[in-house]
Amino acid sequence: MESVIEISRLTKYFRSGIRGILVRALNEVSFAVRRGEIFGLLGPNGAGKSTAIKIMLGLLKQNSGECRIFGEKIGEKTKSKIGYLPEAPNFYGFLTAKELVKFYAQMSGMRSADAEISAENALSLAGLSDCQDRPLSTFSKGMLQRAGLAAAVAHDPELVILDEPNSGLDPIGMSDMKDLILRLKASGKTVLICSHMLREVEQICDSVAILYKGEVAAFGALDEILGRNSEALIRVKNPTEKFFGAVEKSAAEFGADLKVEKGGGSLADFFNKIVFERRGK
Amino acid sequence: MTKIFLIAKNSAREAFRQKLVSLILAAAVALTLFSMWAMKLDLGHEQLKFTANFTAGALGFFGAVVSVVLTCRLFYSEIENRTAATLLARPVSRFQFVAGKLAGVAAMLAIFALAVLLAGAIPLFLTRQKLGLLPDEMFLGGRPDLKWAGYAVFGFLQYVKLVAIAAMACLVCAASRSMVFAIIASFMVCAAAVVSCSEFFSGGGFLLNAALYIVPDFDIFENSIGFIFGGVNWAQFFAAFFYGVIYIFAFLILSVWAFASREI
């Protein structure tokens, strides 16, 4: 499948302090995001996720390596196909939600009349139709996040980059955000999510890359890295020890080496395993 | 151009909401109106010039403060609030961003200059009325004649000067790493321009002498106060106007160049 984002051996250094000591934010990072998938860019704080996103958006320049979006280097043309929701977005408080979304749609190259219609549609999608004429200064954090998402998708981008989309959202808001992201995928868009909410990421992502201290610690399809293709997971409510024994005995009769354990591996378990392993290195 | 206009519109709206700017505008208008107090003094034929100088002083001093503070605040708030990152993640060039910010500040400065000039016109008008009642023999050098067209052209040139100051502050902002540093550095450059460069940098080394060619000399704008009484000298007007416009564009290009390499 065609790659929308191709990151190849990306390295980025920052100068820190008065003496300008070089700090490595990304070290030979490589991964690819395929068209139409939901991709999770994960990692603990300081792993280099935001740096990678900023390089993808052309806000930072890498020291070495390559970043291609839609097969091209980042530029005006590629930027018009990207929608971006920053972490904890801070918008002009004096604008109404509709003015904000229209403004960003126009900044992405839409005409005023088209931008107005798109703004209304995007706000409706984000569940903000009722308060589209209210100034953003009166919005809660969760509402700002929704307005930010509306601004990110109003110009109908092919690639949507969401930096911590669940930040500041209550459980209902998170559920709505998950539905919105799945709707984006259903409409053929590629979505890159940068998040700490592993449970939500696990539910919606097709592939993930886990960054740790500027390096890729794991990358691949979620089913593959969690071993879902080589193992089967059977969920049983109220299992008893007698049940476990009976299932194992009957599997042995069919020649299967079955080990029944309570619970199951999750992305959170996998993430913690990877991070603790790296720390131990 | 549409993107520059939209950024400028938002910047101007943000500028109107800055309480500090409203306070400075109020202080400038108050000082200008205060010159009406001069009507109680008996300064003879110099009274009209005294009143005009009050307006020029208020516009020059408070205008420079507004130019520097507003530019730095609007520029840095975008970077600190990360709205610049959201904007520049779109197909918006760094030139469009900087030009839009400067245009927004210029729009606010136009309103500031207009308000101070209109406030200044009141005491000028009243003083002229008062002097008009006096007999001709009271004026040894002839009755001073107030030219309203000259007053408007003088105001326009002062406005061009304020935009040039904003463009200088833009360059300092694009190259500096903190708002406080940007404000202080901008005021220093502004002071150098107002207090005639040659005096400011006299006796300096190579770098300071080189600065003479970078920092504009605002004396060229100050001389236009003579237009208020002597009428407009168009050659002088165009010289000052193009001098200001060239500096505005030069600072804008340098700002974009400095901002282009900046990591947001």
Side-chain angles (χ1 to χ4, degrees), chain B residues 97-152:
Chain B
F97 178 80
V98 177
K101 285 275 133 197
L102 185 59
V105 174
M108 182 65 207
L109 287 174
I111 289 166
F112 179 89
L114 199 64
V116 176
L117 285 167
L118 286 175
I122 298 167
L124 271 176
F125 176 77
L126 294 174
T127 308
R128 192 174 76 160
Q129 294 295 97
K130 182 188 160 192
L131 294 179
L133 298 173
L134 300 174
D136 284 344
E137 52 266 30
M138 290 286 291
F139 303 98
L140 296 174
R143 188 181 287 277
D145 192 14
L146 180 65
K147 313 267 190 201
W148 287 114
Y151 182 68

Side-chain angles (χ1 to χ4, degrees), chain A residues 180-194:
Chain A
L180 277 170
I181 294 168
L182 289 172
R183 277 163 75 178
L184 289 174
K185 186 194 173 184
S187 62
K189 312 221 179 296
T190 308
V191 184
L192 185 145
I193 302 172
C194 183

Side-chain angles (χ1 to χ4, degrees), chain A residues 112-128:
Chain A
S112 178
D114 296 337
E116 181 136 358
I117 296 165
S118 294
E120 283 172 6
N121 292 339
L123 285 164
S124 165
L125 186 81
L128 290 174

